[in-house]
Amino acid sequence: MRRLVRLVVLAALAVWAWRLLLARRELQERAGVSYADGSSLVLEPGTTGFERLAAVARSALRR
Amino acid sequence: MDVAQALSELTELSSQVERAVVLDADGSVLGSTLDDGAAAERLAEAARELLAAASELRTSGDEVTRAEVELSEGAFFVLREGGRTIAATTGPKPTAGLVAYDLRTCLHGLGEAEKPKRKRTTRKAKEEAAD
């Protein structure tokens, strides 16, 4: 029983740490586009638009 | 103000901008902070790609005036105004508003035509001209 509790606690800690790490990474990454008509878009990681712009930006940062 | 002077002021003004390139309306490189011409051209190519990709996000075909991508390894900014485009890279976690302001200031500096200096005529010169 004690082993099981320890395992559950460890699993919960691992999930919490993973989510914290993921959230931090997501907060750091974003893309924004403004247009001539005054409108703008904010793209979050995981969307197709963001991944497209991020690929171009990564290549620019490597160059 | 010429491009080299505007870019020099930009790098003095902004500690966050690492590399920058200015493009003409047709996409050709007008100047850059990079010594290597090929590297400047590659950065310009990335700027053109980013504008094209950002434009494709909308079907209305409105012109993209600003595109910025912030990643964990750094950020890439592209601004377009008055037919000119400026692109710049920064390190991670830049102050996006400040960088965009500095880049816009650089573009405005380029747009400012040098004012013609007035020639001051002295009274003596006027009298000589009258004679």
Side-chain angles (χ1 to χ4, degrees):
Chain A
M1 187 66 188
R2 202 178 264 182
R3 260 189 172 182
L4 188 67
V5 170
R6 197 181 292 169
L7 194 69
V8 167
V9 168
L10 277 175
L13 272 172
V15 168
W16 172 78
W18 176 250
R19 290 186 69 174
L20 187 75
L21 194 74
L22 207 68
R24 267 195 192 163
R25 196 183 156 206
E26 282 180 358
L27 277 176
Q28 279 177 359
E29 300 197 333
R30 57 173 284 280
V33 182
S34 301
Y35 295 90
D37 65 353
S39 61
S40 60
L41 283 176
V42 175
L43 303 158
E44 299 294 336
T47 59
T48 316
F50 175 84
E51 296 309 329
R52 175 89 199 279
L53 299 185
V56 178
R58 279 193 188 97
S59 73
L61 291 166
R62 273 198 300 269
R63 288 170 190 190
Chain B
M1 192 188 292
D2 68 2
V3 180
Q5 197 181 346
L7 285 168
S8 169
E9 277 189 13
L10 171 70
T11 48
E12 277 177 29
L13 197 72
S14 175
S15 57
Q16 299 181 84
V17 171
E18 289 176 351
R19 295 174 297 159
V21 63
V22 176
L23 314 180
D24 207 351
D26 63 356
S28 56
V29 176
L30 285 176
S32 84
T33 59
L34 296 149
D35 296 330
D36 182 7
E41 185 49 50
R42 286 195 296 272
L43 191 61
E45 179 60 33
R48 290 190 288 264
E49 275 178 39
L50 191 72
L51 287 175
S55 182
E56 284 169 15
L57 294 171
R58 280 264 174 98
T59 50
S60 61
D62 279 317
E63 191 188 58
V64 176
T65 53
R66 174 177 163 177
E68 58 185 80
V69 184
E70 290 173 45
L71 302 170
S72 52
E73 60 263 44
F76 186 41
F77 292 80
V78 181
L79 269 85
R80 189 153 57 177
E81 203 170 294
R84 287 200 174 108
T85 303
I86 187 163
T89 60
T90 72
K93 294 182 184 177
T95 317
L98 199 59
V99 172
Y101 177 81
D102 290 340
L103 296 178
R104 194 167 288 123
T105 304
C106 181
L107 278 183
H108 286 172
L110 286 173
E112 281 175 13
E114 282 190 26
K115 291 176 186 169
K117 286 177 185 169
R118 276 188 183 177
K119 280 185 181 174
R120 294 185 73 184
T121 50
T122 60
R123 187 179 290 168
K124 192 181 172 187
K126 277 182 189 171
E127 283 168 1
E128 280 174 4
D131 292 337

